[in-house]
Amino acid sequence: MARIGIITCANMTNDLACSSAGCLEDSHAGKGKFTQYQERGGAQVIGIISCSGCPTLRAPEKILRRVRTLAASGVEAIHFAYCLERNCPFKNKYRQILQAEFPEIAFVSGTHEIPEERGAEVDQFVKKALCQQSLSMADLIERRRHEGV
């Protein structure tokens, strides 16, 4: 069985509370990007981490600390989750840095697959979800002042 890790998008994990259910479902079923492990008895997901967040152009190396934990756990491949592949402007830089630091690990693009005809629909859903307004502490303070509480 292949020991693999998955890196997800921090925005999807932290802001939208994605549980990586699609990634895990396809890894267990041997579908999507996990079909390559069928001859070896499938994929065993050792760990899932999120990226280090959008690091600006100055610190993409922040991801090394997170991936080091997967590497120390003995993964032989790390998949960049669908969300990271689809949305991350740093994915190529991350891949370059990670491959240089961990040459013994294969870095694979993608996890589960979404049909291309649904890609735009998923993109709009993600944009709407990430941009939805939520109350902040400032909103609550201003509300209290306005209500005289």
Side-chain angles (χ1 to χ4, degrees), residues 78-97:
I78 297 176
H79 286 248
F80 282 32
Y82 173 86
C83 57
L84 193 73
E85 282 295 327
R86 184 85 177 179
N87 300 308
C88 181
F90 298 101
K91 68 183 177 215
N92 294 329
K93 186 66 173 175
Y94 283 161
R95 188 173 286 107
Q96 176 187 8
I97 290 167

Side-chain angles (χ1 to χ4, degrees), residues 14-83:
N14 298 333
D15 294 348
L16 300 183
C18 179
S19 65
S20 302
C23 297
L24 290 170
E25 188 175 312
D26 276 12
S27 74
H28 293 302
K31 296 179 359 188
K33 298 294 182 165
F34 302 102
T35 58
Q36 64 184 304
Y37 306 111
Q38 287 177 341
E39 291 179 4
R40 297 174 54 201
Q44 178 185 19
V45 177
I46 300 304
I48 299 176
I49 61 170
S50 66
C51 72
S52 52
C54 296
T56 79
L57 296 174
R58 307 290 172 248
E61 294 83 3
K62 284 176 59 178
I63 199 164
L64 290 173
R65 181 175 39 168
R66 291 178 176 254
V67 171
R68 186 170 164 249
T69 303
L70 290 176
S73 299
V75 299
E76 55 196 84
I78 297 176
H79 286 248
F80 282 32
Y82 173 86
C83 57

